[in-house]
Amino acid sequence: MTNDPAIAFRVTALEDNQPNGREPILGGILRKKAVWVDESLCIGCTYCSCVATNTFTMEPDNGRARAFRQDGDSTEVIQEAIDTCPVNCIDWVKFEDLDDLRSQLNAKTIRPLGLPPLR
Ligand code: SF4
């Protein structure tokens, strides 16, 4: 059996939408900010995905990191992952900015890592 990193994109954030104890009504605290990876700058070192394993995964087509869920790790663990990034391409952003950031990223040409530079 092989590990398929693409499964991270199919997993729901909350299994069956069951309470997980983090809901404000149950005493939890919703994070007010989202985490975002600028994949155009990511160098694919995998540090963030090794630290915050429930937040970041390595996107299989281009070999760059992506935040696949926003509630998988504590703020402290995510911040630790951010701090490990050697190129500072992970940021806290507003949740409402995620769609625009994704659109801007999709408009860029991102080459798979490991290919020689264009001439
Ligand atoms: S730590 Fe930064 S450069 Fe390394 S994989 Fe994560 S986002 Fe990419």
Side-chain angles (χ1 to χ4, degrees):
M1 189 171 98
T2 60
N3 289 335
D4 177 9
I7 196 170
F9 299 103
R10 297 192 296 268
V11 176
T12 58
L14 297 175
E15 285 188 20
D16 302 325
N17 289 323
Q18 295 298 308
N20 63 11
R22 295 187 201 145
E23 295 83 357
I25 198 170
L26 298 176
I29 300 172
L30 282 181
R31 189 178 294 128
K32 294 179 180 173
K33 50 193 177 181
V35 64
W36 167 255
V37 178
D38 185 343
E39 295 174 31
S40 67
L41 301 177
C42 172
I43 60 173
C45 71
T46 76
Y47 291 172
C48 60
S49 63
C50 291
V51 174
T53 55
N54 294 313
T55 299
F56 302 103
T57 190
M58 300 311 294
E59 180 276 317
D61 294 328
N62 295 323
R64 298 165 193 254
R66 180 172 295 172
F68 64 93
R69 58 186 289 183
Q70 296 290 339
D71 63 347
D73 292 296
S74 69
T75 301
E76 292 75 19
V77 169
I78 294 174
Q79 185 60 53
E80 183 179 347
I82 291 173
D83 292 342
T84 67
C85 181
V87 292
N88 296 321
C89 67
I90 312 173
D91 290 306
W92 293 111
V93 299
K94 295 178 183 174
F95 276 99
E96 54 265 36
D97 290 343
L98 286 175
D99 286 344
D100 284 343
L101 288 166
R102 172 58 57 192
S103 296
Q104 292 168 19
L105 187 65
N106 289 341
K108 296 179 180 178
T109 300
I110 299 179
R111 304 192 70 228
L113 294 174
L115 294 181
L118 292 173
R119 292 186 181 238

